[in-house]
Amino acid sequence: MTVRAAVAGASGYAGGELLRLLLTHPEVEIGALTGNSNAGQRLGALQPHLLPLADRVLQETTADVLAGHDVVFLALPHGQSAAVAEQLGPDVLVVDMGADFRLKDAADWEQFYGSPHAGTWPYGLPELPGARAALEGSKRIAVPGCYPTAASLALFPAYAAGLAETEAVIVAASGTSGAGKTPKPHLLGSEVMGSMSPYGVGGGHRHTPEMIQNLSAAAGERVSVSFTPTLAPMPRGILATCSAKAHEGVTGESVRAAYDKAFADEPFVHLLPEGQWPATASVHGSNAVQVQVAFDAAAHRIIAISAIDNLTKGTAGGAVQSMNLALGLPEELGLSTIGVAP
Amino acid sequence: MTVRAAVAGASGYAGGELLRLLLTHPEVEIGALTGNSNAGQRLGALQPHLLPLADRVLQETTADVLAGHDVVFLALPHGQSAAVAEQLGPDVLVVDMGADFRLKDAADWEQFYGSPHAGTWPYGLPELPGARAALEGSKRIAVPGCYPTAASLALFPAYAAGLAETEAVIVAASGTSGAGKTPKPHLLGSEVMGSMSPYGVGGGHRHTPEMIQNLSAAAGERVSVSFTPTLAPMPRGILATCSAKAHEGVTGESVRAAYDKAFADEPFVHLLPEGQWPATASVHGSNAVQVQVAFDAAAHRIIAISAIDNLTKGTAGGAVQSMNLALGLPEELGLSTIGVAP
Amino acid sequence: MTVRAAVAGASGYAGGELLRLLLTHPEVEIGALTGNSNAGQRLGALQPHLLPLADRVLQETTADVLAGHDVVFLALPHGQSAAVAEQLGPDVLVVDMGADFRLKDAADWEQFYGSPHAGTWPYGLPELPGARAALEGSKRIAVPGCYPTAASLALFPAYAAGLAETEAVIVAASGTSGAGKTPKPHLLGSEVMGSMSPYGVGGGHRHTPEMIQNLSAAAGERVSVSFTPTLAPMPRGILATCSAKAHEGVTGESVRAAYDKAFADEPFVHLLPEGQWPATASVHGSNAVQVQVAFDAAAHRIIAISAIDNLTKGTAGGAVQSMNLALGLPEELGLSTIGVAP
Amino acid sequence: MTVRAAVAGASGYAGGELLRLLLTHPEVEIGALTGNSNAGQRLGALQPHLLPLADRVLQETTADVLAGHDVVFLALPHGQSAAVAEQLGPDVLVVDMGADFRLKDAADWEQFYGSPHAGTWPYGLPELPGARAALEGSKRIAVPGCYPTAASLALFPAYAAGLAETEAVIVAASGTSGAGKTPKPHLLGSEVMGSMSPYGVGGGHRHTPEMIQNLSAAAGERVSVSFTPTLAPMPRGILATCSAKAHEGVTGESVRAAYDKAFADEPFVHLLPEGQWPATASVHGSNAVQVQVAFDAAAHRIIAISAIDNLTKGTAGGAVQSMNLALGLPEELGLSTIGVAP
């Protein structure tokens, strides 16, 4: 099978990472590449690390340009995916790397995004309970947010095993590429190097309802989430430090057993040996997730920590993984668990 | 008044930062400087940023060398301060930048440090309730740990005002200088640049009992602390993200009022205007603490975040501030609230 | 003497650094602060590291606002200083941190800046031969560019002593703050962290004629300069690696002697002991210059390397140093040779 | 063909990068992995980014362990390769990633390495004139140093085309992984972040004679090299800024033509379009070389700049590329020109 793929939004960080992965995917042929303000430019000027595509020229994001592909990836600003997807027809696999179709609850969407809810697509985090079945054969995929990917994978086993109380506390550090390529003063290298800073504190970050949705589904009851994102002085990577109070009687052994079970057959999630902790550098450029969990007996809390590459497993790698499932390809095709370190 | 100060352990990061501050302190004259393995070396080779002291030579850390000073700062490995302090006599102000005299509970000390408890000295975090009185005129000072400084200042107002439940969750990111100058593989630049990683997860970090001690004192009852430190790719700075469930009836206004009151007269703690968040870069090289607090109504948690320079307010600046109090000098003398940014 | 100083352009990196220094200058009182697009904003939102000035509000850059000060510092875009300076009158000390008045040769100016030449003011690099005399008592000062500061101090002793041939090769690495605070894609943290890249290669950088001017003056004949600037993944600092072929008969000893002599009485230039090399971290936030020189006998070249903080000695510190000279104050007043490291 | 490969020195940065590449090489099966002080440890603890090899255990570096492979890669400290190679027999392909067999001149070796010369093997920089013929079918390969790779590729076209005078000036910035994984104080993250510093100035760096060897061969006459390496605050990457005076009559066009010709058919060297400059981030984790060249008419110099990943094209990627040639495999097999950016 050769799959012809178009990428709408090829000039940004998500689009660039997707192209990096598609270039080595054995069943994908890269078709149309589009940008908006960048239409007409050489990709070599915008993504100088993608040498094999240096001479490709970005086109406008129109239905005509995107027509005739088996898969269309959308790396567009929030709110633009629905209109494009409608024009593509029901037989094309549309993989939305934006937020538009992630949330099931329209009220949540409206509260956090301030616009009408476009709908809900199968959620592209295959490791969650029941997720693979919904993705197999689907023609529409909503790729999860980067923080929800990291946090949900760290904590869902504790909830799925009934070990944790329903109030989760998540503090995550992200590399700056998560904030995108549009120049803003606080994203300047001069500002971010040597500095850690929080943002969206107090429940306001748009990834919060997505985490609540995932963890609540695992728990079978509503889980509240206190989420604090921080900006870290590195280009890539998310380290999510997640914790919840343990139910009475929980022990380190029961926690370990739950995590062993949850990830035993997962190709991309690597539960580290006890005593070894995740580091974002270890998953740089890889689709792997490193997870470790500890039980703090004194505070009676389960602390689960995950490291991902926000652009790979957190965005473009997750998109390819779900595409593979939707197309009936081997889930790991074209994806690597080997990081680029140091 | 001119105070003659000796520094034991002048070749490390804490000692170097202390010398940086003492060099501009109007009432301090820098006396003996000692090292151990580095005795006999020029300071210019070890601390090349301290040009005015470049030609000073490190001496051995002995009672003779440290004799004849008004103040002796100890920047020694844990467990070495008691023996040195004993030899210095009761009239010399001894400021211990190590951990030996921070904890009140001998059992805590033995559990976390694995050696007999040396005792308890007045605790050098003047902003805590009642702390200044204990420091004024004292001849012994235990300088707090860097993480406890950041976390205690972020959370104690919530506990002192009776707003928060007694289970605190603290996730902090620290620059690498907090790990010291002894070369270890995981501290290599190649390893830390581009990487966030946790350590001491699950209650094992030695700063945990110190945080419990401080927050419990503010609350008037035992506060449990779940503390996760992370190593961030920057040389300096701590960002502490601290939260606790709010008691029933707490509102954003009551939280703000408590923090306004706690820091109204503090020269070094700056409660930021609402909407502005701390950044470690803003306090780089400064003794200032930036604090911000939010009330997350959905998760019903108080989230308090502080940024400090781990070497300045978190170590050497805190030491000088307490020295000033002990000697009856103006508390702010020789200290700055101006950061070196960007 | 108390000097009242205004700063036009207080929201950028040069203006922020200048304020950081003026805040601790014992003879300066900070007067009006102006911005352009930022007029009306609190300085605390723009320069959050300058806590003592957090509540100051930026004004428009007008003659009225700038009137009534003893010193006016201009941190304005190139081409705007002349008009402002004219309105300030001949008795006010005007210190231009832009390029407008640095070059003596109008043709050079026009070639590199593409606009009419505004004139030439005394050049604020006191360490150059004859420079102090021109600065003392002057009412106009042109602060040098950051790269010319680093490169000229590294190489002028070789030319002043007649040791080097008249073709200099200069490769310098600069921190990103040298590129200013205006957001541009290539200055994003995501782009600069982990990356070294050159720009302005082949003689096009505007600091080239300024280096030629300084080195030619030292040599007494025209010196050509091949200058390549590179952007380094750090917020501050310049490391300038400068070399020139040595004349016949030059030896390591004669080179060392020339540098010893050139900097023997300089308060800010520190010729390192042989075998120790400059590092930008050592001069972070300091007005010091670290210089080292070697003679490569095999290639018969003199290699001189300097490290400065581009914002301090390279901009704002150099401005204060020259202001001191112009006002008859001690040259070192309010300036430090102590770096903030690590 | 399936090639069974052993790696001696698998715990360091060069060994880790080699394994990263071999894991995706379609014709290679990874055999024995050895370490010295690390023998007996899991690779997962030493190279946590290589998840597929996490459970492999390092063995001692002995002839027995290395026997029975088609290829043996040596990533050993300088001076240890000859003894190991002798024991492996003439039919095994031995690829030495150390320096032992790079230099042709025994006197050069002795001067720079201070030990007897072990010999000279075919030099693994296929892009140099005549290099491929020597590598094809060879059973011994000396992998070039990282700096010589970057500098030779930048400058050899100018010399091969007879455009440049025989005095080259090379200033290169390297990421810290080039200094290896052995912990040393100056390589701590605290020291390198935020800092640029030179080392080995004045002709003393061991890569100097290797550059001279390569450029002299291209020129057909002895070329002198003034080489200054600098340590940059990034884990990977080399940016080499190289220049030489142009002969009379040289123009920008003749320079461009020489570079166009030199790299027209090279799979890994990418001469950038005019106006675009190399950045190390663009070749992060890739075997590509980005080159750009300019002619500075005023200084009459050719300035050629290259960016490589020091661990990939500069070490392990170059080793694989040469292995492919030696084994008669397609030169690009298992190697990528796609960087991991941002």
Side-chain angles (χ1 to χ4, degrees):
Chain A
M1 177 199 300
T2 292
V3 176
R4 201 169 149 74
V7 178
S11 63
Y13 289 142
E17 181 71 354
L18 180 66
L19 290 172
R20 184 176 76 83
L21 299 175
L22 295 181
L23 275 165
T24 60
H25 193 293
E27 301 293 346
V28 170
E29 179 190 304
I30 296 174
L33 307 181
T34 79
N36 282 323
S37 55
N38 297 309
Q41 293 193 44
R42 286 178 72 248
L43 199 65
L46 299 164
Q47 309 275 20
H49 59 300
L50 303 175
L51 287 187
L53 298 171
D55 292 327
R56 296 285 297 269
V57 173
L58 291 191
Q59 299 178 266
E60 298 273 349
T61 306
T62 66
D64 276 1
V65 167
L66 297 176
H69 296 83
D70 304 300
V71 188
V72 176
F73 290 94
L74 304 179
L76 302 171
H78 298 318
Q80 300 189 2
S81 296
V84 175
E86 261 172 37
Q87 298 179 293
L88 293 172
D91 295 333
V92 178
L93 173 56
V94 182
V95 184
D96 184 20
M97 298 162 80
D100 297 26
F101 298 96
R102 292 172 188 161
L103 296 182
K104 294 180 177 163
D105 188 301
D108 274 353
W109 175 271
E110 283 157 25
Q111 178 190 338
F112 281 86
Y113 291 88
S115 62
H117 189 220
T120 309
W121 288 356
Y123 189 74
L125 194 52
E127 293 84 356
L128 290 184
R132 280 193 179 85
L135 292 166
E136 285 162 6
S138 173
K139 290 297 184 187
R140 294 290 185 270
I141 295 168
V143 178
C146 51
Y147 286 122
T149 295
S152 303
L153 292 177
L155 268 189
F156 92 82
Y159 284 111
L163 301 175
E165 297 193 4
T166 57
E167 297 174 336
V169 176
I170 294 165
V171 178
S174 174
T176 52
S177 59
K181 212 171 178 173
T182 304
K184 295 173 188 163
H186 74 287
L187 298 176
L188 283 172
S190 300
E191 300 294 315
V192 299
M193 288 185 285
S195 198
M196 292 283 308
S197 58
Y199 62 102
V201 185
H205 194 280
R206 288 167 166 184
H207 285 176
T208 308
E210 200 178 333
M211 295 179 189
I212 292 173
Q213 176 174 293
N214 293 344
L215 297 180
S216 298
E221 59 183 321
R222 171 90 183 180
V223 174
S224 81
V225 168
S226 164
F227 171 48
T228 306
T230 65
L231 195 66
M234 57 189 190
R236 290 181 174 228
I238 288 179
L239 186 81
T241 301
C242 311
S243 70
K245 202 162 179 192
H247 287 312
E248 279 295 307
V250 165
T251 63
E253 290 68 32
S254 57
V255 171
R256 187 79 197 174
Y259 277 74
D260 272 331
K261 186 180 156 211
F263 299 131
D265 299 322
E266 287 300 339
F268 292 112
V269 186
H270 188 78
L271 181 64
L272 292 167
E274 292 189 62
Q276 190 176 349
W277 289 90
T280 62
S282 297
V283 296
H284 189 96
S286 134
N287 204 51
V289 185
Q290 286 193 340
V291 175
Q292 184 54 289
V293 65
F295 176 62
D296 181 339
H300 207 70
R301 290 184 80 88
I302 297 164
I303 297 110
I305 304 186
S306 63
I308 64 168
D309 186 316
N310 60 305
L311 291 179
T312 321
K313 178 59 178 167
T315 306
V320 171
Q321 186 182 351
S322 293
M323 175 199 78
N324 285 341
L325 285 168
L327 296 174
L329 295 169
E331 186 174 337
E332 303 174 60
L333 209 64
L335 294 168
S336 167
T337 59
I338 307 167
V340 182
Chain B
M1 178 202 300
T2 292
V3 175
R4 200 166 151 75
V7 179
S11 62
Y13 289 143
E17 180 72 355
L18 180 67
L19 289 173
R20 185 178 75 84
L21 299 175
L22 295 181
L23 275 166
T24 59
H25 193 294
E27 302 292 347
V28 170
E29 180 188 303
I30 296 175
L33 308 180
T34 79
N36 280 324
S37 54
N38 297 308
Q41 292 193 46
R42 285 178 71 246
L43 199 66
L46 299 164
Q47 308 275 20
H49 59 300
L50 303 176
L51 288 187
L53 298 173
D55 292 326
R56 295 287 296 268
V57 174
L58 291 193
Q59 299 178 264
E60 298 274 349
T61 306
T62 65
D64 276 0
V65 167
L66 297 175
H69 296 83
D70 305 299
V71 188
V72 176
F73 291 93
L74 304 179
L76 302 172
H78 298 317
Q80 300 188 3
S81 296
V84 175
E86 260 172 39
Q87 300 178 292
L88 293 173
D91 295 333
V92 177
L93 173 56
V94 182
V95 183
D96 184 20
M97 298 163 79
D100 298 25
F101 298 96
R102 291 172 188 162
L103 296 182
K104 293 179 178 163
D105 188 299
D108 275 354
W109 174 270
E110 283 158 24
Q111 179 190 338
F112 281 86
Y113 291 87
S115 61
H117 189 219
T120 311
W121 289 354
Y123 189 72
L125 195 52
E127 293 84 357
L128 290 185
R132 280 190 179 87
L135 293 166
E136 286 162 4
S138 173
K139 289 297 183 186
R140 293 291 184 269
I141 296 170
V143 178
C146 51
Y147 285 122
T149 295
S152 304
L153 293 177
L155 267 189
F156 90 81
Y159 284 110
L163 301 175
E165 297 194 3
T166 56
E167 297 174 335
V169 176
I170 295 164
V171 179
S174 174
T176 52
S177 60
K181 210 173 182 173
T182 303
K184 295 173 188 162
H186 74 287
L187 298 176
L188 282 172
S190 300
E191 299 295 315
V192 298
M193 288 186 285
S195 199
M196 292 283 307
S197 60
Y199 61 102
V201 186
H205 195 282
R206 290 170 165 180
H207 286 176
T208 308
E210 200 178 331
M211 295 179 187
I212 292 173
Q213 177 174 294
N214 293 344
L215 297 180
S216 298
E221 58 182 321
R222 170 89 182 181
V223 174
S224 81
V225 168
S226 164
F227 170 49
T228 306
T230 65
L231 195 66
M234 56 190 192
R236 287 181 177 229
I238 287 178
L239 186 80
T241 301
C242 311
S243 71
K245 202 162 179 193
H247 286 313
E248 278 296 305
V250 165
T251 63
E253 289 70 32
S254 57
V255 171
R256 186 82 197 171
Y259 277 75
D260 272 333
K261 185 179 156 212
F263 299 131
D265 299 321
E266 287 301 337
F268 292 111
V269 186
H270 189 77
L271 181 64
L272 291 167
E274 291 190 59
Q276 189 176 350
W277 289 90
T280 61
S282 298
V283 295
H284 190 97
S286 132
N287 204 52
V289 185
Q290 286 194 339
V291 175
Q292 184 56 289
V293 65
F295 177 61
D296 180 338
H300 207 71
R301 289 183 80 88
I302 298 164
I303 296 111
I305 303 185
S306 62
I308 64 167
D309 185 318
N310 60 304
L311 291 180
T312 321
K313 178 59 179 169
T315 306
V320 171
Q321 185 182 350
S322 293
M323 175 199 79
N324 286 340
L325 285 168
L327 296 174
L329 295 168
E331 186 174 339
E332 304 175 61
L333 207 65
L335 294 168
S336 167
T337 60
I338 308 166
V340 181
Chain C
M1 177 201 300
T2 291
V3 175
R4 202 168 149 74
V7 178
S11 63
Y13 289 142
E17 181 71 353
L18 180 66
L19 289 172
R20 185 177 76 83
L21 299 175
L22 296 182
L23 275 165
T24 58
H25 193 293
E27 301 292 346
V28 170
E29 179 188 303
I30 296 175
L33 307 180
T34 79
N36 282 325
S37 54
N38 297 308
Q41 292 193 46
R42 286 178 70 247
L43 199 66
L46 299 165
Q47 307 276 20
H49 60 300
L50 303 176
L51 289 186
L53 297 173
D55 292 327
R56 295 286 297 267
V57 174
L58 290 193
Q59 299 178 268
E60 298 274 350
T61 306
T62 65
D64 275 2
V65 167
L66 297 176
H69 297 83
D70 304 300
V71 187
V72 176
F73 290 93
L74 304 179
L76 302 172
H78 298 319
Q80 301 188 2
S81 296
V84 175
E86 263 174 34
Q87 298 179 294
L88 292 173
D91 295 334
V92 178
L93 172 56
V94 183
V95 183
D96 185 20
M97 297 161 81
D100 297 25
F101 299 96
R102 292 171 188 162
L103 296 182
K104 293 179 178 163
D105 187 301
D108 276 351
W109 175 271
E110 282 157 26
Q111 178 190 341
F112 281 86
Y113 291 88
S115 61
H117 189 220
T120 310
W121 289 355
Y123 189 73
L125 195 52
E127 293 85 357
L128 290 184
R132 281 192 178 85
L135 293 166
E136 286 162 3
S138 172
K139 290 296 185 187
R140 294 291 185 269
I141 296 169
V143 178
C146 50
Y147 285 121
T149 295
S152 304
L153 293 177
L155 267 189
F156 90 82
Y159 284 110
L163 302 175
E165 297 193 3
T166 57
E167 297 174 334
V169 176
I170 294 165
V171 178
S174 174
T176 53
S177 59
K181 211 173 180 172
T182 303
K184 294 173 189 164
H186 74 285
L187 298 177
L188 283 172
S190 300
E191 300 295 316
V192 297
M193 288 185 284
S195 200
M196 292 284 308
S197 59
Y199 62 102
V201 186
H205 195 282
R206 290 171 165 179
H207 286 175
T208 308
E210 200 177 330
M211 294 178 188
I212 293 172
Q213 177 174 292
N214 294 343
L215 297 179
S216 298
E221 59 182 321
R222 171 89 181 181
V223 174
S224 81
V225 168
S226 164
F227 171 47
T228 306
T230 65
L231 194 65
M234 57 188 191
R236 289 181 176 229
I238 288 178
L239 186 80
T241 301
C242 312
S243 70
K245 201 161 178 192
H247 286 312
E248 279 295 306
V250 165
T251 63
E253 290 67 33
S254 57
V255 171
R256 186 80 199 173
Y259 279 75
D260 271 332
K261 183 180 158 211
F263 299 132
D265 299 322
E266 286 300 337
F268 293 111
V269 186
H270 189 78
L271 182 64
L272 291 167
E274 291 189 61
Q276 189 176 350
W277 289 89
T280 61
S282 297
V283 295
H284 189 97
S286 133
N287 204 52
V289 185
Q290 286 193 340
V291 175
Q292 184 55 288
V293 67
F295 177 62
D296 181 339
H300 208 69
R301 290 184 80 88
I302 298 164
I303 297 112
I305 304 186
S306 63
I308 64 167
D309 185 318
N310 60 305
L311 291 179
T312 320
K313 178 59 177 167
T315 306
V320 170
Q321 185 182 350
S322 293
M323 174 199 80
N324 286 340
L325 286 168
L327 296 174
L329 295 168
E331 186 174 338
E332 304 174 61
L333 207 64
L335 294 168
S336 168
T337 59
I338 308 166
V340 182
Chain D
M1 177 201 299
T2 292
V3 175
R4 200 167 152 74
V7 178
S11 62
Y13 289 143
E17 181 71 355
L18 179 66
L19 290 172
R20 185 177 76 83
L21 299 174
L22 296 182
L23 275 166
T24 59
H25 193 292
E27 302 293 347
V28 171
E29 181 189 301
I30 297 175
L33 307 181
T34 78
N36 282 325
S37 54
N38 297 308
Q41 293 192 45
R42 287 177 69 246
L43 199 66
L46 299 165
Q47 308 276 19
H49 60 299
L50 302 176
L51 288 186
L53 297 173
D55 293 327
R56 295 286 297 269
V57 173
L58 291 192
Q59 299 177 266
E60 298 274 348
T61 306
T62 65
D64 275 0
V65 168
L66 297 176
H69 296 83
D70 304 300
V71 188
V72 175
F73 290 94
L74 305 179
L76 302 172
H78 298 317
Q80 302 189 0
S81 296
V84 175
E86 261 172 39
Q87 299 179 291
L88 293 172
D91 295 334
V92 178
L93 173 56
V94 182
V95 184
D96 185 18
M97 300 162 80
D100 298 24
F101 299 95
R102 292 172 188 161
L103 296 182
K104 293 179 179 163
D105 188 300
D108 276 352
W109 175 270
E110 282 157 25
Q111 178 190 341
F112 281 87
Y113 292 87
S115 60
H117 189 219
T120 310
W121 288 356
Y123 189 73
L125 194 52
E127 293 84 357
L128 290 185
R132 279 191 180 86
L135 293 166
E136 285 161 5
S138 173
K139 290 296 183 187
R140 294 290 184 272
I141 296 168
V143 179
C146 51
Y147 286 122
T149 295
S152 303
L153 293 177
L155 267 190
F156 91 81
Y159 284 110
L163 302 175
E165 298 193 2
T166 57
E167 297 174 333
V169 177
I170 295 165
V171 179
S174 174
T176 52
S177 59
K181 212 173 179 172
T182 303
K184 294 173 190 162
H186 74 286
L187 298 175
L188 282 172
S190 300
E191 300 295 314
V192 297
M193 289 185 284
S195 198
M196 292 285 306
S197 58
Y199 61 103
V201 186
H205 195 282
R206 290 170 165 180
H207 286 176
T208 308
E210 201 178 331
M211 296 179 186
I212 292 172
Q213 178 173 294
N214 294 344
L215 298 179
S216 298
E221 59 181 321
R222 170 91 182 180
V223 174
S224 80
V225 168
S226 162
F227 171 47
T228 306
T230 65
L231 195 66
M234 57 189 192
R236 286 181 178 231
I238 288 178
L239 186 81
T241 300
C242 312
S243 70
K245 200 161 182 194
H247 286 313
E248 279 296 306
V250 165
T251 63
E253 291 67 33
S254 58
V255 172
R256 185 82 197 170
Y259 278 74
D260 271 333
K261 184 179 158 215
F263 299 132
D265 299 321
E266 286 301 336
F268 292 112
V269 186
H270 189 78
L271 181 64
L272 292 167
E274 292 189 59
Q276 189 177 349
W277 289 90
T280 62
S282 297
V283 294
H284 189 97
S286 135
N287 204 51
V289 185
Q290 286 193 339
V291 175
Q292 185 55 289
V293 66
F295 177 61
D296 180 339
H300 207 68
R301 289 184 82 86
I302 298 164
I303 297 112
I305 303 185
S306 63
I308 64 167
D309 185 317
N310 59 306
L311 291 180
T312 321
K313 178 60 177 166
T315 305
V320 172
Q321 185 182 351
S322 294
M323 175 200 77
N324 287 340
L325 285 168
L327 295 174
L329 295 168
E331 186 174 337
E332 304 175 61
L333 208 64
L335 295 169
S336 168
T337 60
I338 308 166
V340 182

